[in-house]
Amino acid sequence: MIIVFLGAPGSGKGTQASVLARHLKIPFISTGDMLRKEVGNSSVLGLKAKSFMDQGGLVPDSDVISMIKERVTQKDCVSGFVLDGFPRNSVQAKAMDRAMMEINKEVNKVVYLEIPQAVAIDRISGRRVCKKCRANYHIKYSPPKAADKCDTCSGDLYQREDDKQETVIKRYQIYLEQTKGLVDYYQDRLVTIDGNLPIGEIEKNIGDKLKVAVS
Ligand code: AMP
C-alpha cells in the first residue's frame, strides 16, 4: 500500500502519516526530515537545500525527486510506504507516477488533511522541536513540562528557522500556489479528513476510511 499525505504546513500530516505507517508496519518517509538530515550532515544536497528551506521555498524538483526515488526503491519499501511532504507540486506528482509505473506500483490512497489557514499558521508558529530526539511540542496546545526542555530526553527545544512567522506565511502561500492543486490531481483516490479535530479522533477517522485497524 502506497499512501501519500497532503495538507497545509501545520495540518498534522507528519504526525498522522507516521502513526499510520506504524500501524501498517511500512516505512514513514518524510522529505522534510530527509532534507533536514542532509542539512545536518552538511552534505552537498544539504548545503544546497538549506537556503531554500530557511526561506520557506521549495528545494528544486530534480534534487527532491532523485532523493525520493532512491529511498522508495530500497528493500524495506517493497510492501509499501507512507509519504509526508512529497509530492509538493504536479512535476513531482508526475515523476512519482512514472517511477511507480516502472516498478508496477501506484499511489493507492491520498489522505488530505483539511484545516483552516488560521489554525495552520497558529500551529506552526507555536511548534517547538527537540534538538536531540526530534519530538514535537506546541507552546499552547502541548507544552513541555519544563520550559524549553524535552519531556522524554531533556534535550533542548528550539523553533525551526522555517517555522518563524514570516517564513510560515511564505510556506503557506507556496502550499496554496503549488501543492493544494494536487487534491484535484489525485481526485480518484482522495480521502478527505477534517484535520481540525483532536489528534486521536483524526487517527481514528483515517483508520476508518482506509479500513486500517488503529487501536
Ligand atoms: P516539511 O518538513 O515537509 O514542512 O518540509 C520542510 C522544508 O523542506 C520545506 O519548506 C521545503 O523547503 C523542503 N521540502 C520538503 N519536501 C519537499 C519537496 N517535496 N519538494 C521541495 N522541497 C521540499
Side-chain angles (χ1 to χ4, degrees), residues 9 13 30-33 35-36 52-53 56-61 64 84-88 92 127 160 162 171:
K13 55 188 189 328
S30 151
T31 43
D33 285 351
L35 289 166
R36 278 184 288 278
F52 295 98
M53 294 170 79
L58 291 185
V59 174
D61 290 334
V64 183
D84 160 36
F86 185 95
R88 266 319 214 261
Q92 296 182 9
R127 176 162 63 188
R160 271 168 48 180
D162 63 342
R171 283 167 67 200

Side-chain angles (χ1 to χ4, degrees), residues 38-58:
E38 296 289 337
V39 172
N41 292 339
S42 302
S43 67
V44 175
L45 172 59
L47 293 173
K48 181 173 174 187
K50 187 175 185 329
S51 55
F52 295 98
M53 294 170 79
D54 284 352
Q55 286 167 29
L58 291 185

Side-chain angles (χ1 to χ4, degrees), residues 19 25 52 55-56 68 74 85 139 163 177 190:
V19 168
K25 300 189 173 54
F52 295 98
Q55 286 167 29
I68 204 79
Q74 284 172 17
I139 48 172
D163 280 351
E177 286 165 11
L190 198 73

